[in-house]
Amino acid sequence: MDSISTPESPAPVHAEPVEAAPEATTPFQRLLARVFTRHVMNIAIIVVLPMIFSVSLNPLCRSLEDPDLWWHLADARQLVTTHHFMHAEPNSFTVGGKPWVNPEWLAELPYWFSYKVLHYQGIYLVEWLVLCANLIFLYWRGYKRSGHAGAAWWAAALAFVLVSVNAGPRTIAFAYLAMSAELAILEAHERGNSRGLWLLPPLFCLWINLHGSWLIGLALFVLYILCGSFPFKRGAIEQEAFSAAARNRLLTVLGLCVVALLINPYGWHLPWNPIDMMTNQKLNIANVAEWKPLSLSTIAGMSAFGAMCLMVVVNAFKGRKWRIYELAFVFFAWFAALDHMRFLFLAAVLTTPILAVDIRRGFDLESDKKTIPAANAFMVVAALVVIGMIFPSEAKLTRKLGTFFPMKTIAAIQPTWRTFNSDYVGGMMTFQSKPEFIDSRFDIFEHEGVLADYLKAMYLVSSFEVLDKHRIDHLLLTDTMPLSYLLKHSAGWTIIKRERTHDDLYVMFARTPGAPAGSVASDAGDGGPIIKDEEDK
């Protein structure tokens, strides 16, 4: 037997078409029924959800606020302009010249090319398209699994709430498309289509150049093979083992996937990168908010808890037969999401198709083959109108950028300065070709001990020792940071510039021997009036 084919009653393994409409009598009605299907309506609604509810894409337009975006753009700019992959850190005065590989170089290029063509609107557009592609992929996989477009839509809508944790111009969004593609291939294999397995090696070749999450994808593939290597029938679990031919095919594909990982600009260094993060970057993981455990008091946390409860309750009252790999994937997904909130996106990718099946079974959803093409067309037009109304202008995005970063202060930084900066503005400093102390990458900064020094200075453990060690002559901080308080009350430091953003007042300190505590330059200004979003007025 080439694959496991236990039916997921009452949802059929092979999805039924939902495009059928009341019998059309005129050519126009037939065209309307052919074009405006239920799937088209559902997808139209799905692509509008991020623009309305995602903080990054809705009228608040916080897309450009992501600190990682700017050093990603700087890296892509260097690759495109020099035609050479970087092998040394080029941006900071603390670790500049040290060996470094760029594990996300391929995922950075779409943002860079879109920026070159459409400037800030291009960044917004790519972020929206990639997020929509993920949601549509999840919807399609949910439909293939459940055979019900309505159940697939509700599962995809719930998935949107989960993936919003990683909403933004993030390179990992491309990686989750690769993960969905891998899982779609394995799900097709479960339905008896083994030809798609040969697409996995080129997929992993692409994936390793997009993001380090390829390691999770490979682990899922190994887990899938292990779980199908033996028969098991007890209670709610029922599966047959792969045939010898199927198992050998899977192992061959797995071996080719491992070989494909070496097709990258950095050789073995790129496969090692995510392993290095897990084993050698404890400070990075401990101090980045996305690596914190999931809080169930947030909307995303409550949604995740609701999804888990739905799966438990439905299977308690309307149990079905499970395969071992399904249980393994579900347990891994929710454990990872609870342990690190950034993995809610991962949980959505793994569990959405299964949730679609449970939604159909739990709510006894009948066949939805009948649809009204005119109503579908109305929803599509309405979605296009909403998209046109919300899509921001270049002028609006430019104004927004000034509310996120102290752009004038960053522009005033001189190339000879050794500026200690908060990690949040480090990426923008890099993009503006200003020498930085640190940015939000953290990996190479932890390897070289700079991240540890940064945390010591910021938390007042040995601030002046760190500043002297790195010969710091300027600092760019927010006014509320403990280090700012210390410098304002210490002799030898002068505030030379203030600039207000939407959330903070930034201050630039200069080392000034002999200056009394609390010194402020006459032209430092007061930072200007409090900046409010247009939507807050």
Side-chain angles (χ1 to χ4, degrees), residues 26 29 90 143 185 204 224 253 275 288 306 340 343 350 375 444 458 477 526:
T26 68
Q29 288 178 321
Y143 171 66
I185 290 171
F204 274 93
Y224 173 78
V253 172
I275 301 172
V288 175
H340 301 294
F343 285 141
L350 285 172
I444 187 172
M458 294 295 280
L477 309 167
D526 61 0

Side-chain angles (χ1 to χ4, degrees), residues 131-147:
L131 182 55
C132 289
N134 273 283
L135 293 175
I136 293 170
F137 211 157
L138 293 179
Y139 167 78
W140 176 77
R141 289 175 51 218
Y143 171 66
K144 295 293 286 186
R145 195 72 171 263
S146 68

Side-chain angles (χ1 to χ4, degrees), residues 231-239 320-322 324 327:
F232 191 91
K233 293 184 180 181
R234 180 172 297 179
I237 303 176
E238 182 176 316
Q239 80 169 25
R320 68 175 178 92
K321 296 301 182 181
W322 285 73
I324 294 179
L327 289 175

